Amino acid sequence: MIIRMEEGSSEEAAQQLRFQQDLEEESRTLRIRVKNRRKRYLDLHPAYFSPSLELADPLLYDRLIRRFQTPTEREVEGRSKGYSGILEADLMRSEAKVAALAHPSSTTMTYKRGPNGEIYPEEKDEVPANKEDGAKRWRREMELRFIRGDDEDFDYEAVDQSEEWDNRAEEDREEEEKYFAQEEPSWVLDDKNAAVGMGQPIVKGETGIQDF
């Protein structure tokens, strides 16, 4: 009787473990699907990365984009924002810089003051190599921000819960890779014809789904 109870308890624990693993796998799959949908949305909506996105991180935009803009480009961008938009961006940039100086670890960009109040220049690895590099870094940071769900003005539910943004071809490819990664070849061994001097069976062929 005691043995049967122990066996029953062991089986119940195993079932509970499998159930928990299934839940974790399902949750992981859902998280991946949501991130893939958000990524695909951005791929199909490049207009998301418009100049108005500067307000998402004014300091980062200033360091990666504005520093390379010509006077003409700034003028064109200013007209697209409007006077109120320019004032808002300038104000947010100033406030963000003050916050970065007070709490360096809480921002993506580092700003440090010297003993006389001067602001030290950026670290070498924080300086873009050129305009293209700056634009690439900016887009990458904004893409990660969007995929994390940090854009408070965006309706993520409309994307996260819609199959419209599924990349079926990519999902099928990932499932296929996962399937074959889990497959183990089953070799047919000829015990009668061991390798000369080695005493090892010779592989004659492979059976199972991977046979040709």
Side-chain angles (χ1 to χ4, degrees):
M1 179 63 69
I2 296 178
I3 294 177
R4 291 180 179 178
M5 290 178 63
E6 289 178 349
E7 290 177 350
S9 177
S10 177
E11 178 63 25
E12 183 178 347
Q15 291 179 352
Q16 183 64 29
L17 178 60
R18 287 194 295 270
F19 178 72
Q20 184 64 32
Q21 291 174 337
D22 289 343
L23 285 180
E24 291 176 357
E25 179 63 23
E26 183 177 347
S27 177
R28 177 179 175 276
T29 301
L30 180 59
R31 290 196 302 271
I32 293 175
R33 179 174 291 116
V34 164
K35 289 182 178 180
N36 286 340
R37 286 176 177 176
R38 293 176 182 179
K39 177 64 169 61
R40 184 164 176 79
Y41 175 87
L42 290 181
D43 291 342
L44 298 178
H45 292 81
Y48 176 82
F49 302 96
S50 67
S52 62
L53 199 57
E54 173 187 1
L55 300 182
D57 195 330
L59 295 185
L60 189 65
Y61 188 84
D62 186 55
R63 186 167 290 184
L64 301 180
I65 302 296
R66 291 185 76 251
R67 73 187 307 156
F68 295 108
Q69 288 179 329
T70 64
T72 300
E73 288 173 331
R74 290 194 180 189
E75 182 180 350
V76 172
E77 184 176 293
R79 285 200 297 267
S80 69
K81 294 178 181 177
Y83 183 69
S84 60
I86 295 175
L87 286 180
E88 182 180 12
D90 289 343
L91 178 60
M92 290 189 66
R93 190 180 307 111
S94 298
E95 292 177 344
K97 186 170 291 187
V98 171
L101 288 168
H103 308 284
S105 62
S106 64
T107 62
T108 53
M109 294 286 99
T110 58
Y111 284 84
K112 298 178 181 179
R113 284 193 185 278
N116 298 318
E118 73 276 15
I119 297 178
Y120 288 134
E122 310 102 308
E123 298 292 340
K124 186 177 181 179
D125 61 348
E126 293 180 341
V127 180
N130 48 47
K131 184 175 184 178
E132 290 71 25
D133 182 40
K136 184 179 179 180
R137 291 193 194 187
W138 168 253
R139 185 183 179 95
R140 179 57 176 168
E141 288 294 332
M142 291 301 99
E143 183 178 280
L144 291 174
R145 170 180 176 269
F146 181 86
I147 292 176
R148 286 195 305 266
D150 292 343
D151 188 344
E152 297 179 355
D153 297 322
F154 187 82
D155 180 14
Y156 282 102
E157 186 175 336
V159 173
D160 296 350
Q161 299 185 11
S162 175
E163 295 182 358
E164 176 185 354
W165 309 110
D166 285 337
N167 189 336
R168 295 297 185 185
E170 180 66 17
E171 288 188 1
D172 290 343
R173 183 187 65 80
E174 291 178 354
E175 284 296 323
E176 184 176 284
E177 289 181 353
K178 180 179 178 181
Y179 172 78
F180 284 111
Q182 294 174 343
E183 284 292 306
E184 295 184 1
S186 177
W187 299 98
V188 176
L189 303 178
D190 187 354
D191 293 325
K192 296 181 180 180
N193 299 297
V196 178
M198 299 297 293
Q200 297 294 329
I202 298 175
V203 177
K204 295 183 62 177
E206 187 180 358
T207 64
I209 193 169
Q210 297 183 357
D211 278 352
F212 293 95

